[in-house]
């Protein structure tokens, strides 16, 4: 397996990344292009202000009290999106959330905090548990994804609300695929599309494709039905990404939200990453991420270490240590999921078997799968030395960051709210 000379990504990373002649991946190059002087962030901020004033004018014309919709989970990005639109752009957003039923106590606490601090109206769809069980089981067997309903829900329900309430603007945060692997260029000003929703978020499946499979009913799929073209055109809905207009920096934004609105990360050692503030709102993330490891041989620690390396806060050596420590760990919440989906752990591993990438996994005579390779097993050669970037004074594992990244030497300070302080493998439905 080939790995990026700068970050931790392997060449089988999904979605597809490409390496240039220096052995540096498209995700690293995308990150660099965002820092590039040619991008005039002031000009882009002005464009965003223009969009905001259009939204206000449109809401006034339509007699709407809300200027736009923000799809939220309660995480750090939701906090920042709402804060920016409300406090900096003077908009009155309608918050929309799709409750996927796999919540963590810290996720529920942060969503409640967001509603309280923003004072905004929240519309929530609570997926029926039985339907979540049916969809999750079927998609796990079909494509190895037990959170399909979550991605489909948060990419669809806000559009249903937009049509219903006649609100034309939906504001997303970061264009995630671009940031991780450089799939699209910052010059493209990519907006949300029906195509990207289906291909990236819903793995090529539309809601009607699932009806009748694994006992899934038409009613089960109702929250995942995208509005018709006619309805969308009538409402004139568009979905924009804030990361096209501002110099998106998750760490800086998280620190701002901790200070401004009391967002909180968790304070215990997590099982699949050292990052304490990202993707902490739902338990399924751990199993979802572990599935990625079982399929492709890398997980969340690879993603998080790559981000830190690109920002110059972590060296390649530190990144490799994180991948080694976390990527292969089976999360304890796997037991809960198998129980919820009514399957045994053996059945779970059996389902994943055909999805393993044989370039990275090897099945021994004894039937055990072993990984052939990982970035931490690789030598650091001249290519990697040349690809290093200048180190930032802000270190991932510096004392100032002890509550943001788990570090044995300087563990996080205790939190007085048990929801953030103690890990609980049970998931909360509401
Ligand atoms: Zn890279």
């Amino acid at each position: 397996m080939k790995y990026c000379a700068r970050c931790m990504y392997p060449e089988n990373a999904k979605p597809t990344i490409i390496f240039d002649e220096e052995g540096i991946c498209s995700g690293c190059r995308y990150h660099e292009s965002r820092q590039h002087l040619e991008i005039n962030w002031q000009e882009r901020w002005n464009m965003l202000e223009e969009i905001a004033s259009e939204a206000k004018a449109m809401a006034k014309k339509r007699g709407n009290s809300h200027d736009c919709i923000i799809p939220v989970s309660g995480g750090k990005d939701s906090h920042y999106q709402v804060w920016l639109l409300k406090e900096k752009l003077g908009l009155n957003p309608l918050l929309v959330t799709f409750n996927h039923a796999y919540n963590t106590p810290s996720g529920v606490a942060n969503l409640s905090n967001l509603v309280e601090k923003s004072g905004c109206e929240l519309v929530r769809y609570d997926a029926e548990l039985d339907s979540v069980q049916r969809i999750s089981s079927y998609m796990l067997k079909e494509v190895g994804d037990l959170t399909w309903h979550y991605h489909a829900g948060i990419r669809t329900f806000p559009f249903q609300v937009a049509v219903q309430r006649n609100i034309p603007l939906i504001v997303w945060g970061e264009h995630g695929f671009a940031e991780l692997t450089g799939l699209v260029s910052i010059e493209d000003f990519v907006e949300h599309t029906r195509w990207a929703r289906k291909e990236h978020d819903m793995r090529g499946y539309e809601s009607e494709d699932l009806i009748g499979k694994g006992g899934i009913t038409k009613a089960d799929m109702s929250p995942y039905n995208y509005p018709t073209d006619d309805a969308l055109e009538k409402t004139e809905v568009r979905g924009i990404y804030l990361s096209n207009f501002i110099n998106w920096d998750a760490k800086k934004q998280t620190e701002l939200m901790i200070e401004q609105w009391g967002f909180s990360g968790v304070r215990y050692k997590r099982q699949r990453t050292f990052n304490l503030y990202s993707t902490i709102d739902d338990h399924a993330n751990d199993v979802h991420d572990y599935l990625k490891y079982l399929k492709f041989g890398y997980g969340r620690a690879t993603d998080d270490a790559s981000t830190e390396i690109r920002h110059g806060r972590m060296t390649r050596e530190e990144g490799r240590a994180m991948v080694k420590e976390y990527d292969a760990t089976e999360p304890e919440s796997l037991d809960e999921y198998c129980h919820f989906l009514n399957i045994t752990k053996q059945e779970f591993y059996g389902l994943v078997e055909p999805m393993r990438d044989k370039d990275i996994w090897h099945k021994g005579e004894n039937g055990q799968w072993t990984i052939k390779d990982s970035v931490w097993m690789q030598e650091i050669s001249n290519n990697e030395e040349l690809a290093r970037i200048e180190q930032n004074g802000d270190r991932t594992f510096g004392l100032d960051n002890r509550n943001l990244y788990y570090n044995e030497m300087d563990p996080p300070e205790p939190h007085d709210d048990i929801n953030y302080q103690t890990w609980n493998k049970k998931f909360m439905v509401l």
Side-chain angles (χ1 to χ4, degrees):
M1 189 64 60
K2 199 173 152 191
Y3 298 87
C4 174
R6 178 172 296 160
C7 73
M8 299 282 107
Y9 279 110
E11 64 183 333
N12 67 343
K14 295 279 177 297
T16 316
I17 55 173
I18 47 169
F19 294 104
D20 64 15
E21 61 283 357
E22 289 168 51
I24 295 174
C25 81
S26 41
C28 283
R29 292 300 188 203
Y30 175 83
H31 184 87
E32 251 173 8
S33 76
R34 288 189 67 96
Q35 323 297 319
H36 213 266
L37 289 172
E38 278 167 33
I39 296 175
N40 185 335
W41 291 110
Q42 184 56 49
E43 202 174 274
R44 286 178 184 238
W45 175 257
N46 298 344
M47 289 167 72
L48 185 61
E49 280 186 327
E50 188 67 26
I51 293 172
S53 46
E54 275 168 30
K56 280 183 215 168
M58 190 84 100
K60 205 169 166 195
K61 207 169 111 195
R62 295 183 184 190
N64 267 337
S65 59
H66 297 103
D67 306 304
C68 65
I69 285 175
I70 306 182
V72 299
S73 64
K76 63 182 197 327
D77 294 344
S78 313
H79 274 73
Y80 183 69
Q81 282 159 256
V82 178
W83 178 83
L84 190 84
L85 265 63
K86 195 167 190 276
E87 305 294 326
K88 296 287 161 190
L89 291 164
L91 293 172
N92 182 26
L94 174 67
L95 315 188
V96 176
T97 195
F98 180 85
N99 177 22
H100 45 73
Y102 289 167
N103 306 299
T104 57
S106 60
V108 174
N110 269 321
L111 181 60
S112 161
N113 179 67
L114 174 62
V115 173
E116 191 188 316
K117 298 290 162 54
S118 69
C120 290
E121 182 182 337
L122 173 76
V123 175
R124 182 167 78 176
Y125 186 94
D126 295 306
E128 188 189 321
L129 266 191
D130 289 347
S131 81
V132 167
Q133 206 260 10
R134 283 189 285 273
I135 297 167
S136 216
S137 295
Y138 177 72
M139 289 311 269
L140 174 64
K141 286 170 197 157
E142 200 62 15
V143 291
D145 182 2
L146 46 72
T147 55
W148 183 91
H149 70 290
Y150 177 28
H151 303 289
I154 199 61
R155 289 288 175 190
T156 307
F157 182 58
F159 285 90
Q160 293 183 355
V161 176
V163 166
Q164 224 174 50
R165 311 269 287 240
N166 200 21
I167 300 173
L169 181 65
I170 301 181
V171 183
W172 305 93
E174 186 183 23
H175 194 288
F177 286 108
E179 187 57 40
L180 287 178
T181 58
L183 193 70
V184 293
S185 156
I186 179 105
E187 303 301 337
D188 296 340
F189 286 95
V190 173
E191 297 201 358
H192 180 99
T193 62
R194 182 192 285 267
W195 181 87
R197 164 184 163 274
K198 183 180 170 188
E199 297 308 319
H200 296 160
D201 301 301
M202 295 161 66
R203 297 180 183 263
Y205 290 77
E206 253 313 336
S207 61
E208 60 263 25
D209 301 332
L210 271 67
I211 298 171
K213 311 274 171 62
I216 296 168
T217 65
K218 207 172 162 186
D220 287 341
M221 297 315 292
S222 67
Y224 315 105
N225 291 335
Y226 205 54
T228 61
D229 284 341
D230 275 359
L232 291 170
E233 265 169 44
K234 212 172 140 209
T235 316
E236 299 174 82
V237 187
R238 67 190 282 215
I240 62 161
Y241 290 93
L242 279 180
S243 58
N244 282 325
F245 302 95
I246 56 167
N247 199 358
W248 195 266
D249 183 335
K251 178 174 183 278
K252 230 191 258 168
Q253 290 160 203
T254 302
E255 288 167 327
L256 186 68
M257 288 305 99
I258 291 171
E259 179 208 310
Q260 295 281 322
W261 275 4
F263 167 79
S264 183
V266 298
R267 301 285 175 86
Y268 48 82
K269 184 174 185 187
R270 299 175 76 188
Q271 290 166 1
R272 296 209 37 85
T273 184
F274 56 94
N275 182 310
L276 300 176
Y277 60 87
S278 183
T279 58
I280 54 171
D281 49 303
D282 76 280
H283 263 327
N285 258 308
D286 280 355
V287 181
H288 178 71
D289 182 58
Y290 183 55
L291 276 163
K292 184 165 83 176
Y293 172 73
L294 297 177
K295 290 189 261 185
F296 308 114
Y298 75 97
R300 174 72 59 188
T302 292
D303 297 324
D304 289 342
S306 295
T307 301
E308 294 305 305
I309 289 170
R310 288 169 187 175
H311 279 95
R313 295 191 291 258
M314 191 182 256
T315 61
R316 187 169 188 84
E317 287 76 3
E318 289 172 312
R320 285 156 48 113
M322 291 301 104
V323 174
K324 185 178 179 189
E325 179 161 354
Y326 291 99
D327 267 4
T329 311
E330 178 190 285
E332 281 179 50
S333 47
L334 181 59
D335 294 328
E336 292 291 312
Y337 282 92
C338 288
H339 179 71
F340 177 68
L341 299 176
N342 223 350
I343 55 172
T344 64
K345 226 147 89 170
Q346 265 126 324
E347 284 172 308
F348 172 84
Y349 281 107
L351 288 171
V352 182
E353 190 149 329
M355 299 168 199
R356 298 218 191 216
D357 183 342
K358 308 292 186 303
D359 286 339
I360 193 80
W361 289 101
H362 170 74
K363 194 177 187 180
E365 302 266 301
N366 57 2
Q368 293 289 316
W369 287 91
T370 46
I371 198 155
K372 293 184 201 168
D373 186 17
S374 178
V375 69
W376 59 268
M377 302 176 193
Q378 299 276 319
E379 297 274 315
I380 294 183
S381 70
N382 199 32
N383 253 359
E384 283 79 28
E385 292 298 345
L386 290 170
R388 287 187 197 268
I389 56 167
E390 200 185 319
Q391 293 300 294
N392 193 322
D394 180 21
R395 308 305 302 157
T396 302
F397 295 125
L399 194 58
D400 291 347
N401 291 328
R402 68 192 301 184
N403 294 337
L404 298 178
Y405 305 101
Y406 190 87
N407 160 16
E408 302 284 354
M409 305 291 286
D410 301 300
E413 294 163 301
H415 201 294
D416 53 12
D417 183 338
I418 187 104
N419 292 312
Y420 303 110
Q421 179 59 27
T422 313
W423 188 74
N424 184 341
K425 78 170 178 177
K426 282 201 91 58
F427 58 80
M428 296 172 78
V429 172
L430 278 179

